[in-house]
């Protein structure tokens, strides 16, 4: 019986690139009997939470990863929306600093007059694509740090990744890497029939990922697929870098290809007639059965089975890395988070709900004591203190902020200054926000003015 794991798959969280919801892909992967499914959305773990939720319900093993674009040595912005200056050249060491200095300062006018990252680019710099896979929670964290650095260094929809950061992530996270799609350095050279350049690119990646780099072969029914795969197989033979089969999946089923083409047209800002010249010529980028993969790529001995083994070995439960909030530092004589939160709430209540003789209104005191009891029983006092601390900082820096949503149902939030809504006067039930029956952390959404959010 054939075995397979798809190690290169995009959900619709790869905006305007993947066409299928995470739950669709997970369900079909289980139906096909995959040993695992790797989710490799572009530039981060956007689909990871939804994939985990869907996979947990049916017991589907998941590998967490991402597809990134490493900057090519000679790449430049073509048709960029910004003039090329020291601040916008991709090879400028001061680029990121200048952007932050010019756009994020507190002297900017209020209102949505200037965005941190500018408009969405329509023509992007050329990059060498690479698939990064996490073998465990430490690898997940290493990928997250690597992507975060690239996002901060770049601009909207154009992260700038650094090879030194990539080496650090590989070492700390024991990451596995695949050669990527047709935009990968190895695959691009192989498509040109340039085996020497393909070997050089492969060996560069092997140095960064020793014993953990694999060459992808895939077949979408295109005339060039056989040539590219044969060159990659020869690169594998000469370098002893193993082959692995993927299908570079962008939608769950073959009949989803039309939707993918519409999304691609929107992403390229073209109408469908114009986009016809840019679309993939086949509808093969779906989740194939293990038997289909063996028929398509069986002549590359071991590639399909190696995908199954690799996926099986790297799948782990995302619950293992769910972080706990850090302990809130206690000022003065306070010894617990609940004690400090109670102090802040009752101090605020003297002004918000004044009673006779400088006391707190009895109705408000009863409500606060009830809320604090629930918060204490569930252990969420630190959650409120973290939100309070963030809002305090924002206001001290004259950054507009406001919480929204069900947090306004809490008198605690009113008394510690998170909201101006009065839940007692408006008869808003605290249980809509937090209750012992639900037992889940509260949901406090905080909005900040866009131009200064990064501070």
């Amino acid at each position: 019986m054939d075995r397979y794991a798809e190690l290169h798959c995009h959900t619709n969280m790869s905006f305007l690139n993947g066409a299928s919801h995470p739950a669709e892909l997970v369900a079909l992967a289980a139906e096909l009997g995959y040993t695992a499914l790797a989710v490799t959305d572009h530039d981060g773990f956007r689909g990871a939470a939804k994939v985990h939720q869907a996979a947990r319900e049916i017991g589907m093993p998941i590998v967490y990863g991402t597809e990134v674009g490493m900057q090519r040595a000679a790449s430049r912005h073509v048709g960029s929306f910004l003039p090329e200056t020291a601040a916008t050249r991709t090879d400028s060491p001061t680029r990121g600093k200048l952007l932050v200095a010019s756009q994020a300062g507190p002297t900017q006018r209020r209102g949505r007059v200037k965005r941190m990252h500018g408009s969405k680019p329509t023509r992007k710099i050329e990059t060498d694509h690479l698939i990064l896979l996490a073998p465990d929670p430490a690898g997940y964290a290493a990928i997250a740090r690597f992507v975060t650095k690239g996002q901060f260094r770049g601009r909207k929809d154009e992260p700038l990744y650094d090879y030194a950061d990539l080496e650090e992530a590989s070492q700390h996270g024991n990451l596995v890497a695949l050669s990527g799609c047709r935009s990968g350095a190895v695959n691009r050279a192989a498509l040109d029939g340039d085996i020497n350049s393909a070997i050089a690119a492969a060996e560069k990646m092997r140095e960064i990922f020793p014993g953990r780099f694999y060459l992808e072969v895939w077949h979408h029914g295109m005339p060039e697929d056989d040539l590219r795969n044969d060159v990659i197989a020869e690169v594998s033979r000469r370098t002893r870098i193993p082959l692995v089969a993927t299908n570079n999946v962008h939608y769950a089923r073959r009949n989803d290809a039309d939707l993918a083409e519409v999304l691609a047209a929107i992403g390229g800002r073209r109408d469908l007639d114009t986009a016809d010249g840019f679309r993939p010529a086949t509808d093969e980028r779906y989740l194939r059965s293990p038997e289909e993969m063996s028929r398509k790529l069986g002549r590359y001995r071991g590639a399909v089975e190696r995908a199954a083994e690799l996926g099986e070995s790297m799948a782990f439960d995302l619950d293992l890395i769910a972080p706990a909030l850090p302990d809130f530092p206690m000022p003065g004589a306070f010894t617990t988070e609940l004690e400090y939160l109670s102090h802040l709430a009752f101090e605020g209540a003297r002004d918000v709900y004044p009673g006779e003789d400088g006391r707190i209104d009895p109705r408000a005191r009863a409500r606060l004591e009830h809320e604090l009891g629930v918060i204490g029983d569930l252990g969420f006092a630190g959650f409120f203190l973290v939100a309070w601390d963030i809002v305090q900082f924002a206001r001290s820096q004259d950054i507009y902020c406001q919480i929204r949503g069900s947090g306004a149902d809490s008198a605690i939030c009113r008394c510690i200054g998170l909201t101006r809504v009065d839940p007692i006067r408006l008869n808003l039930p605290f249980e809509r926000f937090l209750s012992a029956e639900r037992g889940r952390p509260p949901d406090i959404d905080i909005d900040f003015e866009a131009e200064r959010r990064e501070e």
Side-chain angles (χ1 to χ4, degrees), residues 104-125:
T107 59
Q108 293 290 328
R109 286 193 299 133
R110 297 278 190 192
R112 304 179 71 80
V113 296
K114 196 178 185 78
R115 294 181 184 276
M116 283 292 296
H117 298 288
S119 302
K120 182 180 178 72
T122 57
R123 301 182 69 183
K124 300 182 181 181
I125 58 174

Side-chain angles (χ1 to χ4, degrees), residues 325-347:
L325 281 175
D327 293 334
F328 195 86
M330 293 295 102
F334 298 103
T335 58
T336 69
E337 293 173 333
L338 184 62
E339 182 183 355
Y340 187 39
L341 179 62
S342 300
H343 166 76
L344 294 175
F346 285 118
E347 283 297 307

Side-chain angles (χ1 to χ4, degrees), residues 310-334:
L310 197 57
E312 196 172 33
S313 68
M314 289 191 296
F316 66 91
D317 191 345
L318 194 61
D319 280 344
L320 294 175
I321 61 171
L325 281 175
D327 293 334
F328 195 86
M330 293 295 102
F334 298 103

Side-chain angles (χ1 to χ4, degrees), residues 68 93 118 133 190 212 269 290 294 297 300 313 316 320 400 406 408 410:
V68 299
L133 301 175
R212 293 176 274 111
R269 299 186 182 182
S294 292
L297 298 166
Y300 302 105
S313 68
F316 66 91
L320 294 175
Y400 289 162
S406 60
S410 168

Side-chain angles (χ1 to χ4, degrees), residues 240-252:
R240 298 183 182 274
I241 297 174
L243 295 175
V244 66
T246 77
N247 201 42
N248 191 6
V249 170
H250 285 69
Y251 38 87

Side-chain angles (χ1 to χ4, degrees), residues 100-293:
V100 172
S102 65
Q103 294 184 3
T107 59
Q108 293 290 328
R109 286 193 299 133
R110 297 278 190 192
R112 304 179 71 80
V113 296
K114 196 178 185 78
R115 294 181 184 276
M116 283 292 296
H117 298 288
S119 302
K120 182 180 178 72
T122 57
R123 301 182 69 183
K124 300 182 181 181
I125 58 174
E126 294 181 336
T127 57
D128 291 327
H129 288 206
L130 187 70
I131 297 294
L132 302 178
L133 301 175
D136 52 33
Y140 186 103
I143 291 177
R145 284 192 297 268
F146 171 73
V147 170
T148 299
K149 289 178 182 178
Q151 295 284 9
F152 273 108
R153 189 181 294 115
R155 60 184 176 189
K156 182 178 176 64
D157 291 333
E158 279 194 359
L160 291 178
Y161 298 113
D162 183 81
Y163 276 98
D165 291 341
L166 184 64
E167 290 186 34
E168 180 182 354
S170 172
Q171 293 171 6
H172 290 176
N174 205 32
L175 303 184
V176 171
L178 313 183
S179 57
C181 61
R182 59 181 295 140
S183 295
V186 179
N187 302 321
R188 196 176 66 257
L191 189 59
D192 293 336
D194 185 351
I195 192 166
N196 291 328
S197 294
I199 289 173
E203 289 181 337
K204 177 181 179 179
M205 287 297 102
R206 177 166 59 185
E207 290 178 6
I208 298 175
F209 302 93
R212 293 176 274 111
F213 178 63
Y214 296 83
L215 297 167
E216 285 186 57
V217 288
W218 74 92
H219 205 297
H220 291 157
M222 298 291 288
E224 67 269 18
D225 286 347
D226 288 316
L227 168 64
R228 184 198 61 249
N229 286 338
D230 287 346
V231 172
I232 290 176
E234 180 63 16
V235 171
S236 174
R237 188 185 70 81
R238 296 190 190 184
T239 62
R240 298 183 182 274
I241 297 174
L243 295 175
V244 66
T246 77
N247 201 42
N248 191 6
V249 170
H250 285 69
Y251 38 87
R253 301 178 187 274
R254 173 173 268 156
N255 58 9
D256 295 323
D258 289 342
L259 173 59
E261 290 175 14
V262 172
L263 295 174
I266 295 171
R269 299 186 182 182
R270 309 179 182 101
D271 59 40
L272 287 173
D273 290 336
T274 304
D276 190 63
F278 294 86
R279 69 177 182 173
T282 65
D283 55 359
E284 299 282 330
R285 297 183 298 169
Y286 61 94
L287 287 177
R288 286 196 177 118
S289 69
E291 292 73 24
E292 285 181 280
M293 291 300 294

